[in-house]
Amino acid sequence: MKDKLKISRPQMIALLNEDLAREFQAIIAYTVYSQTMKGAAYTDIARELQKHAGEELEHAIHIAKQIDYFNGTPVTRPKEVKMSEKAPDMLRFDLENERTTIINYRQRIRQADAMGEYALSEVLRKIIAQEQDHLMDLADALGIDAPSTGD
């Protein structure tokens, strides 16, 4: 199993760049959604999304730093940001993005450990804790149970 997880440095750079593009997507989505949600029911939620945008920026900086450590070049383009005029749709888009991010970071932690890159694992563990908080906040805002992040 460990051999299956062991990847090369260039492969890790490519995967981390995908993660970075997803962090950029989250920054944009949270920024735009927090400013365009309408209605009194979404005032507190929009404020929380604005906070999430700042946290995602910190994640992006940490991921870019790790890419540089691996002698790679960080990407500059985000993954596509889905848009809607309906606040519940925006929250569902964010919820799915967070779920995907958590699944990917869990895999990245296993890969980093298999490579012996324990500092990367620790950076990702700190990020994943915040991503899980974001997931729970979004599920609460939607009035649903947090979706499974088991992979």
Side-chain angles (χ1 to χ4, degrees):
M1 178 80 165
K2 190 171 181 172
D3 287 342
K4 184 179 176 186
L5 291 172
K6 190 147 183 169
I7 60 174
S8 68
R9 290 175 75 84
Q11 288 171 311
M12 181 58 85
I13 291 166
L15 291 168
L16 289 172
N17 266 318
E18 286 180 28
D19 298 331
L20 181 57
R22 192 171 294 100
E23 292 291 355
F24 290 155
Q25 173 193 45
I27 294 164
I28 294 167
Y30 282 133
T31 299
V32 172
Y33 297 170
S34 71
Q35 301 308 307
T36 60
M37 282 187 177
K38 304 293 184 228
Y42 295 103
T43 303
D44 290 339
I45 293 167
R47 224 180 344 263
E48 188 65 24
L49 296 184
Q50 190 171 337
K51 179 181 159 199
H52 288 189
E55 292 168 347
E56 297 293 353
L57 175 58
E58 288 296 317
H59 301 169
I61 291 168
H62 290 300
I63 297 299
K65 184 174 184 174
Q66 292 300 310
I67 293 166
D68 182 63
Y69 166 76
F70 280 94
N71 297 317
T73 302
V75 297
T76 59
R77 294 182 189 257
K79 293 203 173 277
E80 180 185 354
V81 177
K82 292 182 181 178
M83 287 300 299
S84 175
E85 292 181 13
K86 299 176 184 171
D89 289 345
M90 293 181 217
L91 294 172
R92 277 192 283 280
F93 297 154
D94 279 340
L95 184 70
E96 180 55 25
N97 290 340
E98 293 291 358
R99 190 184 78 75
T100 300
T101 297
I102 291 168
I103 290 168
N104 288 342
Y105 282 156
R106 284 183 179 161
Q107 179 67 6
R108 212 72 65 243
I109 290 166
R110 289 189 292 269
Q111 291 164 329
D113 284 346
M115 293 173 73
E117 295 291 346
Y118 303 112
L120 172 58
S121 297
E122 289 307 308
V123 167
L124 294 172
R125 280 183 173 85
K126 289 176 185 168
I127 292 173
I128 207 171
Q130 272 193 329
E131 300 291 10
Q132 185 173 313
D133 286 344
H134 295 175
L135 181 93
M136 293 183 327
D137 289 345
L138 292 162
D140 287 348
L142 286 164
I144 61 173
D145 290 334
S148 172
T149 56
D151 45 21

